[in-house]
Amino acid sequence: GADATPLGLARSLRPGMLLVDAGAFDGTDWTATAVARGATVLAFEPLPDNHQLFEERFPAALERFEQQQSAFTASADGSASRR
């Protein structure tokens, strides 16, 4: 069967896969591994100090995210449209 250890899971990542890193800390664990293997990462880090570390390690990713967010307009009913 599949290797469910952290190393086994990291080895299973492929380009184009999506990884959700909840509690990403500073990004040096799963986020960095997934990006290096060509996966897309949605990382969430609620603690401000850790979030700052993450931003320092992945500035280009943060810049792309901000550009993508500015391309959409959200309305009160939850719908979104491209600007």
Side-chain angles (χ1 to χ4, degrees):
D3 183 355
T5 66
L7 183 56
L9 293 171
R11 288 180 177 153
S12 72
L13 292 169
R14 301 286 181 258
M17 289 181 124
L18 175 65
L19 174 82
V20 177
D21 190 353
F25 184 57
D26 64 359
T28 57
D29 294 326
W30 285 105
T31 295
T33 300
V35 168
R37 297 190 61 85
T40 298
V41 179
L42 295 178
F44 301 91
E45 178 49 61
L47 299 177
D49 289 345
N50 294 344
H51 190 271
Q52 181 64 37
L53 290 171
F54 190 93
E55 287 182 6
E56 291 169 6
R57 287 178 172 80
F58 298 93
L62 183 61
E63 184 178 316
R64 280 193 307 272
F65 174 76
E66 289 171 348
Q67 289 172 351
Q68 290 171 348
Q69 294 302 306
S70 68
F72 289 90
T73 302
S75 64
D77 67 0
S79 64
S81 61
R82 189 172 284 279
R83 288 185 189 174

